[in-house]
Amino acid sequence: MNHVTDLNDAGRDASVLTDAGSGGLIGRAVLADAPLVDQLAEDETVRYVLRNKKHGVTVEGPDGTEEYAPDRRHSGAAVVTDTRVLFAVGHGDGDQFVSVSLPDVVDVRTEDGLIGGAFVVETVEDERYRFPCRGDLEPVREYLDAAVGVWTRAERQVEQARERVERLQSAFESGNADVVLAAVGDVEETLADAREAADALDGARRAIEVEATEVREELAAVERRAHAESAEQARERAHVRWDDQEYEAAFDDLDEADGAYAAARAIDADEPPDDLLAERRETLADERDRLAGAPVERADHAADVAAATDDPGGAVDWWETAVERYETALSLDWGRDDRRFGGDPEGMREDLADAARELVAAYCDLAREHIEDGDGDREDNPDAAAVAYELAAEALAKAREVATERVPDVLDEVEAVESALEDRREDLPDVEAQVGTEVDGGRTETSQSDAAGPVDVDGSEAPDTTEGPEVTDTTEGPEVTDDHERPTDDGDADVGGTDGATDTDRGVDAEDEVFETEATDAESSEVAGPATESSEAEPDDADPAGSPREVTDTQTIIGSPDVGDPETDGEDVEYITDPTAVGADALPSLIARIFESAGWSTAVFGASTARQYDLLAGTDGPVGVTVCVWTVHPAAVERVDVPAVERFAAYFGRAEEADAGAICTAAPISEPARSRADEEGLKVLDGDDLAERLDALSIPAEEF
């Protein structure tokens, strides 16, 4: 009997693998039922076969010892392959098999005895397989020891990659998309190392490839979602910077968001779906177009308002704003070969010069107005006249500065007014009062020409430093964009109440309230019912006629319509009972109806998860309460997760006009996100809550 057979050359055709049945009068067959080759997988490579006559294999383990011995006409065999060690024992009553996978092997050794040695394999389960054999076992031990090392290294690296993917999934659920994207390369490298380690054995290479593919699919799923979330975060940053007039940085963020969406689509995974990613990229393209035109549109708008302003002080403020905005528009993309922002540079230079000329003219008009005031006071109150002339001089100094720097051709007008002022000041009797001294029993203020920006109705300074993504209103009058311009606290808009009526006056039962609010007496002096001043408040003197504030077509003010059964005239009416029955654009108005049914007043601004909020709801009573509300539609957002809630909470923290915040979502919301909302003090109304309230309102579908 050949006790150790090296099959490196003979392979699967070796007789020890193919012989079956009786071994004859002298020889012994290995198995009784079928040859050894029938027990091998098609892609399994055999390197050695060990044989013994009587002993078979002994298995020692924590639960005891079990022996597998052949009968007199058959023998025992140990088949060493690239994936396992197969112990086979022939027996007339039925052959027996015990298989040990190489990834489970922790030690391989040989033992010497008086009449022969033994081949011993130990496993991770603390089992020892002892196979007595008289042949030269050292080559077998060396091969198997090396093969086990290949499997161990490759399996360990695959397991490391799998564990890291699990950690990345947890990191993503916690809102750390950047952590996921930063670690993807490391996981890919670990999987590549596993494939390389397994390449020495065909069986290991095939098995590791299957396992690595499974891990890669799990990684792709979280990586695609992380790219999509990274795009959303970049888009949010773009809108914040857009609001802060950091146009170039905002454009960079929009480009980054588009690249992240493209990267997400390039990854082979299911979520988010391709059509949703494509839709969001289209939305980004529209936003880039609006951003490209925003600087020039804002400058043109300021010029239009300035031209329509009759008050010289207001005109000065607005022409200064126009000059600054034209300068900003001209400076954008300086040095870039590909200009991203709209507007012809040469045309903008001409507009800038025109605005500067108008600013000089406005300063001169303001100076003339002060001169007229001084002329009226010089006889009866020379001190007041001196102050008026000083204010005129300040206005002319600014006019000369602008003219000298930008438009020297209009210096003649400045000099003419300066000459007239000088004549009056020479003829004025000597007075001690100057700017800032007591005049007519009160202290004068600084010059109107020294205003830092648009002035609110109460006289406080309100510089125009913010700008929303869309600037479409170019009519004469205050500028209102669609990026959450809020009602101005001018005494007319009242988001916090309905004509001053209390909840009791409106007949609203406490159980029907959408929110239950509490406030102490100390808080009542701070919580305002009406919505506060807009973040983009424009000067009231820009509208001399005192016309009401205009609202863009994306900002709809809804009063308090009657909510109930409409007049059907005998016709069947379909009512909305499911918030997803309306589109994403109509969802804010539908939510507003829910609030109004509970006696709240609402102001709807339009649907977009990129906005600060979609509507304001207010109630008065003993303590007025104003709530900023975000609406989420499943057509726009797959699911509300922790990152979205944290963005809402950040906006809520900056919303000085709101006392409370709410998320009204028709899309699913994860439990971590719901918990996060509770931590941030945001009320959550999910799809079931909204459906329950809609069921009781009977809102006709035709209205939406």
Side-chain angles (χ1 to χ4, degrees), residues 610-628:
R611 299 180 185 276
Q612 293 187 4
Y613 45 76
D614 299 330
L615 64 98
L616 281 175
T619 182
D620 50 10
V623 178
V625 176
T626 302
V627 181
C628 58

Side-chain angles (χ1 to χ4, degrees), residues 424-441:
R424 285 165 171 78
R425 298 179 79 174
E426 288 179 355
D427 296 340
L428 187 69
D430 292 337
V431 293
E432 296 180 359
Q434 299 297 329
V435 175
T437 62
E438 296 291 333
V439 177
D440 288 342

